[in-house]
Amino acid sequence: MKKIDSNSYRVEKAAKLNAIPTFEDFGKSDKKLKKYLEKIRIELGKFQDVMYAHDKYSVLICLQGMDTAGKDSLIREVFKDFNVRGVQVHSFKVPTELERSHDYLWRHYIALPQKGKFGVFNRTHYENVLVTRVHPSYILGEHIPGIHTVEDIDEKFWEDRFRQINDFELHLAQNGTIIFKFFLHLSKEEQRQRLLRRLEKKEKNWKFSAGDLKERALWDSYQECYEEAINNTSKTHAPWFVIPADNKEAARVIVAEILLQELAKYTDVVEPELDEKTKANIEEYKKQLESE
């Protein structure tokens, strides 16, 4: 399989989503892609074990995408070989009353991974410049001073939110959180096919909601909001990667390979050495145990 270059998917200049492909298979069958993924995720699991012992970094992985983009299955497959203690997944739904009684970043902040662990946000703080931008009336439920009607939510409001999110992520990065943001770039036709499969297969019916079709009708608005959010918040310390998502197997491989390539740059992540006294007495400790 051809080498995957993480930079090919990184957003470093203004991205036009309608010009970025949504499909990739690298000319390989699903079976071969699954085999390739198995190798990568074993290496990722090894890195996490060392990072856990090193105890100075954490990794935050943010997943965004339209409904049916494959976020849940990607999490299941990419992190399958992790020690369960080393990865925490949070799926953010509609804010609760408690969450709405705080600022919009609060519920994300308290879910951040501790040092030594991977945290995966399935939908993220970016919902606050995506769903709320497509449906600005949702902002009124946040009880923000000076925001009384939808008309009060102007362009400066969204510019301020982008700045706040950038500041939030910069603070995290400066304090040891390695940030990855993945947009699973799905085509409208592939979403249609996936929604149809949810209706046609009884065991998948539970995944379908009539609300999915209402949101699908706003596809163009969402694409515009995603594009603007990505272009305003892809930074060196917290880059966005646009991942072709029409082929789930390939999308998982790309995400896993990007993680492995980028994390390999952190050459300071090594297992801690024993202190000199303990190293000098290892043979004595072994004798003590063997003589029991």
Side-chain angles (χ1 to χ4, degrees):
M1 195 171 98
K2 73 176 183 180
K3 181 174 174 58
I4 294 171
D5 181 2
S6 63
N7 291 321
S8 298
Y9 304 94
R10 187 194 307 266
V11 176
E12 294 181 318
K13 57 183 179 181
K16 291 290 185 183
L17 292 180
N18 61 8
I20 299 176
T22 60
F23 181 86
E24 177 61 86
D25 66 2
F26 302 106
K28 301 295 181 182
S29 66
D30 285 355
K31 184 177 180 180
K32 288 185 176 179
L33 289 170
K34 287 179 181 179
K35 278 289 186 184
Y36 189 65
L37 177 60
E38 287 174 10
K39 295 178 183 178
I40 305 171
R41 70 189 185 205
I42 288 171
E43 293 304 312
L44 283 172
K46 290 177 181 177
F47 179 89
Q48 192 281 316
D49 280 340
V50 176
M51 189 181 78
Y52 184 84
H54 186 246
D55 198 32
K56 291 184 180 178
Y57 291 102
S58 61
V59 176
L60 175 63
I61 297 164
C62 300
L63 296 176
Q64 286 287 161
M66 298 292 286
D67 291 333
T68 78
K71 297 181 292 295
D72 292 326
S73 61
L74 185 147
I75 293 168
R76 182 188 68 237
E77 296 301 323
V78 170
F79 301 100
K80 189 175 285 185
D81 290 311
F82 273 53
N83 187 314
V84 292
R85 73 182 180 185
V87 60
Q88 304 163 333
V89 179
H90 294 273
S91 297
F92 293 99
K93 307 295 184 182
V94 176
T96 64
E97 283 298 318
L98 173 62
E99 290 167 343
R100 277 198 296 266
S101 70
H102 293 270
D103 71 273
Y104 71 95
L105 287 173
W106 177 80
R107 65 174 181 159
H108 305 286
Y109 200 97
I110 62 173
L112 290 169
Q114 65 196 68
K115 291 186 184 301
K117 294 192 176 185
F118 277 57
V120 184
F121 283 2
N122 183 352
R123 296 192 186 277
T124 71
H125 43 293
Y126 283 93
E127 293 292 288
N128 297 285
V129 288
L130 293 167
V131 174
T132 54
R133 197 159 192 193
V134 175
H135 302 282
S137 60
Y138 293 174
I139 292 291
L140 302 181
E142 296 182 23
H143 305 295
I144 300 171
I147 303 296
H148 307 293
T149 68
V150 170
E151 285 68 36
D152 295 323
I153 307 169
D154 55 13
E155 282 303 308
K156 184 178 182 305
F157 176 89
W158 299 113
E159 290 170 5
D160 287 344
R161 284 227 157 163
F162 290 139
R163 176 181 51 76
Q164 291 157 7
I165 288 172
N166 285 329
D167 289 346
F168 168 64
E169 292 174 350
L170 180 60
H171 169 73
L172 297 182
Q174 290 175 337
N175 285 275
T177 300
I178 305 168
I179 303 171
F180 296 90
K181 300 180 296 194
F182 296 104
F183 172 57
L184 301 186
H185 189 29
L186 188 72
S187 69
K188 191 174 184 181
E189 174 57 21
E190 180 61 22
Q191 188 197 58
R192 186 178 76 87
Q193 295 295 335
R194 291 182 186 181
L195 288 172
L196 279 171
R197 283 196 289 275
R198 289 183 178 182
L199 292 170
E200 292 166 351
K201 294 186 177 183
K202 190 173 181 180
E203 68 274 16
K204 293 185 179 291
N205 286 173
W206 66 273
K207 291 185 175 182
F208 181 81
S209 166
D212 295 341
L213 298 184
K214 292 180 181 178
E215 294 301 284
R216 176 174 166 78
L218 298 168
W219 180 276
D220 290 342
S221 294
Y222 272 106
Q223 295 300 301
E224 290 174 10
C225 290
Y226 266 113
E227 188 171 284
E228 188 163 359
I230 289 169
N231 288 334
N232 276 280
T233 60
S234 191
K235 306 295 181 182
T236 303
H237 60 272
W240 274 103
F241 297 89
V242 177
I243 310 300
D246 283 3
N247 181 329
K248 287 187 178 183
E249 300 296 344
R252 295 163 189 166
V253 166
I254 295 168
V255 168
E257 184 65 43
I258 289 172
L259 289 173
L260 191 60
Q261 285 184 26
E262 295 299 312
L263 291 172
K265 297 175 182 178
Y266 290 82
T267 55
D268 58 324
V269 178
V270 293
E271 291 181 349
E273 291 190 9
L274 292 172
D275 61 85
E276 292 302 319
K277 182 179 179 181
T278 302
K279 282 197 291 186
N281 289 286
I282 281 181
E283 292 304 318
E284 179 60 31
Y285 299 144
K286 285 168 62 178
K287 287 179 183 178
Q288 289 181 31
L289 289 167
E290 289 166 354
S291 65
E292 287 184 4

